[in-house]
Amino acid sequence: TEGLTDELKQRIEGADVAQVAAAVRRMFAPEGLTSLQCEPTAGADDASVREWIAAAVGRIEADLNRSADTHLIALPLPGYPGIDLYFKDESSHPTGSLKHRLARSLFLYALVNGRLHPGCTVIEASSGSTAVSEAYFARLLGLPFIGVIPATTSPEKIAAIEFQGGRCHVVRNASEINAEAERLARETGGCFMDQFTYAERATDWRANDNIAESIFRQMAHEPHPVPDWIVCSAGTGGTSATLGRYARYRRYPTRILCADPGHSVFYDFYRGARAGCPDVALRIAQGSRIEGIGRPQVEPSFVVGCIDAMAKVPDALSLAAMVRVSAMLGRRVGGSTGTNFVGALFVAEWMKRESRRGSILALLCDGGERYAHSYYNPHWYTANAIDRHQADVAVVSADARGPLPGLVTT
């Protein structure tokens, strides 16, 4: 009581010790704990929920253990001698896309943070592929799933979500899917997984068999085992964050180029942020026509500091490159793979100009079977006013060291 007024001294010294102790406990005990022994209130640590979480984590880990790694495919670039191109084929995941890795990480992150419980409805805002993968893991855990998707989502993706036991909630405007998912979560008491917020933090970027670790392991016996560049594109920003962080953490000189499609704000946000003027309020009305990548607003998981360069790729060029890669592989790939191929050609052109030898790795995000009604349908191009002819010629000639038109880079 030293230093207190006489009145306060009298009040404290005359108080019952038990009353003072009780007041101190109320002030300093963690929320929900009301005794010196820190005993939890009823239900705060329900044993059955903890057991369910442990079993759920075990099922996801067992599913991973049953899965093989995705393939690394070498593709020749005749016009760029001494420069080797590889595609990391993420279409071979059980749910057919790169988003399978993200969905697994999001579920594990939600489980260990206490956001999922028995019977909880899982809700996600997605252009389709993440919803397919999350529906898979929700079914694995016996949980209902609702995918909030834009009206432009391909029928094939909708069918894949429903095949995995999920339900689709269609929103007309792509920019409103997050708000609608939040509303559904409030109404149902469910868990909004929120890939656009949690993607960059849910993945263990140091290791734990993430995509970056897999890439460098598979490249170990190649002529240029450490890639000069890894080319990806951003839907959430989680993959570019993982790749950039891992390369820096392992002290590799590998740089990350992020290719952004036509209708997306990521490139403009990156350019502003690099100039010291990041504008998080950037928004556009139209959603991306290259499904799975690009966003009409800046997302929390898009980490500028993990990216070394960006390229703005016109949609016609992305889709022409998609067709070219499909022809080189003998099977169809999705539009985002075309976007990444354009980014890889840009990097190859720069390396050749600088007389550099080395390797480039790009991501093959998903297969083309999900886009039969759109990217592989001539009527879709007419309906969307996309003339691919010049882009087709440009991409084919780029294999022989031709220029890439309409490409903006930073």
Side-chain angles (χ1 to χ4, degrees), residues 32-377:
L33 305 183
T34 56
S35 75
L36 277 177
Q37 288 75 32
C38 294
E39 295 173 0
T41 55
D45 189 19
D46 186 86
S48 63
V49 173
R50 287 294 292 270
E51 289 173 3
W52 181 87
I53 290 172
V57 170
R59 282 195 289 274
I60 293 174
E61 291 294 291
D63 179 79
L64 172 61
N65 198 51
R66 292 191 295 270
S67 302
D69 201 353
T70 58
H71 297 289
L72 198 64
I73 302 171
L75 279 184
L77 287 179
Y80 304 89
I83 300 172
D84 301 327
L85 173 65
Y86 303 83
F87 270 100
K88 178 68 166 164
D89 184 7
E90 294 293 285
S91 70
S92 57
H93 283 294
T95 54
S97 81
L98 169 66
K99 301 299 185 180
H100 193 85
R101 293 182 188 270
L102 172 60
R104 181 194 298 123
S105 295
L106 288 169
F107 267 79
L108 290 172
Y109 189 77
L111 285 165
V112 300
N113 281 286
R115 298 177 61 223
L116 288 177
H117 54 79
C120 177
T121 298
V122 180
I123 299 166
E124 184 60 282
S126 167
S127 65
S129 290
T130 304
V132 174
S133 299
E134 287 193 21
Y136 171 92
F137 285 104
R139 185 170 68 171
L140 184 67
L141 304 185
L143 300 176
F145 177 81
I146 301 173
V148 182
I149 58 175
T152 53
T153 301
S154 71
E156 294 86 355
K157 286 185 179 179
I158 293 173
I161 294 167
E162 293 173 345
F163 174 79
Q164 297 295 347
R167 179 164 66 88
C168 295
H169 182 89
V170 179
V171 176
R172 183 172 298 276
N173 192 330
S175 65
E176 297 173 356
I177 58 174
N178 273 31
E180 184 64 9
E182 290 173 352
R183 184 188 68 79
L184 286 175
R186 287 194 300 270
E187 288 184 357
T188 63
C191 175
F192 174 32
M193 299 294 273
D194 197 0
Q195 60 166 324
F196 298 108
T197 294
Y198 295 111
E200 59 89 10
R201 68 194 73 171
T203 301
D204 184 354
W205 49 267
R206 295 173 187 83
N208 197 22
D209 201 34
N210 64 40
I211 188 171
E213 183 182 42
S214 173
I215 286 169
F216 283 96
R217 182 175 63 243
Q218 289 179 318
M219 286 289 294
H221 299 295
E222 299 303 315
H224 305 287
V226 177
D228 288 67
W229 288 88
I230 296 177
V231 180
C232 63
S233 42
T236 62
T239 299
S240 57
T242 296
L243 293 169
R245 287 167 174 167
Y246 185 86
R248 290 163 173 78
Y249 176 65
R250 294 295 184 185
R251 301 186 296 281
Y252 292 124
T254 303
R255 286 174 284 182
I256 310 302
L257 182 134
C258 184
D260 200 33
H263 297 283
S264 174
V265 302
F266 285 142
Y267 175 83
D268 290 330
F269 176 72
Y270 177 85
R271 185 174 59 180
R274 292 293 290 265
C277 304
D279 184 2
V280 295
L282 275 174
R283 294 183 75 87
I284 56 175
Q286 182 176 346
S288 175
R289 293 186 295 194
I290 308 300
E291 288 191 34
I293 62 172
R295 292 292 292 155
Q297 68 270 329
V298 181
E299 300 295 353
S301 279
F302 183 71
V303 184
V304 168
C306 293
I307 299 168
D308 297 287
M310 284 199 72
K312 189 72 170 178
V313 182
D315 291 346
L317 204 56
S318 288
L319 297 169
M322 172 198 75
V323 173
R324 179 62 177 163
V325 174
S326 297
M328 295 167 76
L329 292 177
R331 59 185 174 91
R332 289 178 171 181
V333 299
S336 57
T337 300
T339 308
N340 293 340
F341 184 49
V342 173
L345 289 174
F346 168 77
V347 170
E349 189 175 318
W350 175 82
M351 289 177 65
K352 184 174 183 178
R353 191 166 59 247
E354 297 291 319
S355 301
R356 292 175 178 264
R357 293 175 174 268
S359 58
I360 304 166
L361 189 138
L363 299 188
L364 194 165
C365 303
D366 60 3
E369 63 278 355
R370 292 177 175 176
Y371 309 101
H373 85 293
S374 55
Y375 306 149
Y376 292 94
N377 180 354

